[in-house]
Amino acid sequence: MKKLMLAALAAIALAGSMMPPALATALPVEKDDDVCDDYLGVLKRVTPDDIAGVTEQQRVWVTEYCPGRSILRAEGNAASVRSAIGGNEVLAAALRQKGYSAGDVFAVKMMGDDTVNLYVHR
């Protein structure tokens, strides 16, 4: 009986090692750069008036953008509104709570009425 069980286990192990390569190959790992290239999509222009309209803290998200990748600050759409972000108490408080400042904001996405997602990068 013991020999029969060992033979069965050996047959199962042998069958697993003869699996076609397509079935044995793992899916490729998604690279950080691939995700970062398409992550934000099209960034619309945001004005200081848009920023001033954000008055409720529960409508502010702070999201770290591609931390493993170096980016140019000019690539995002926040360059012209960083001072307005720093002057908005709600946005500045949300950034401070996560350990960031207005200078770390790379991109801004307005999502509906007075809702904003601040993408930050150091």
Side-chain angles (χ1 to χ4, degrees):
M1 180 74 168
K2 200 174 194 180
K3 288 183 181 179
L4 183 60
M5 290 174 80
L6 287 174
L9 288 174
I12 291 171
L14 183 61
S17 67
M18 295 176 10
M19 186 182 303
L23 297 176
T25 305
L27 293 174
V29 175
E30 192 169 36
K31 294 180 182 175
D32 189 32
D33 288 344
D34 295 341
V35 174
C36 293
D37 289 341
D38 297 326
Y39 188 63
L40 292 176
V42 176
L43 291 171
K44 295 180 181 177
R45 185 172 179 265
V46 178
T47 67
D49 287 339
D50 295 330
I51 298 299
V54 180
T55 58
E56 297 179 32
Q57 189 164 358
Q58 69 269 24
R59 293 189 174 267
V60 178
W61 288 269
V62 176
T63 305
E64 190 170 11
Y65 178 75
C66 297
R69 179 179 174 201
S70 61
I71 57 173
L72 297 174
R73 290 167 49 93
E75 288 179 26
N77 67 343
S80 64
V81 292
R82 282 193 188 102
S83 61
I85 292 169
N88 182 308
E89 290 181 30
V90 172
L91 298 179
L95 287 165
R96 273 193 310 273
Q97 185 177 13
K98 299 281 187 168
Y100 294 99
S101 70
D104 296 318
V105 178
F106 164 75
V108 179
K109 269 199 175 180
M110 302 298 289
M111 303 177 305
D113 294 336
D114 302 332
T115 303
V116 64
N117 192 342
L118 302 174
Y119 291 91
V120 293
H121 188 275
R122 291 187 203 209

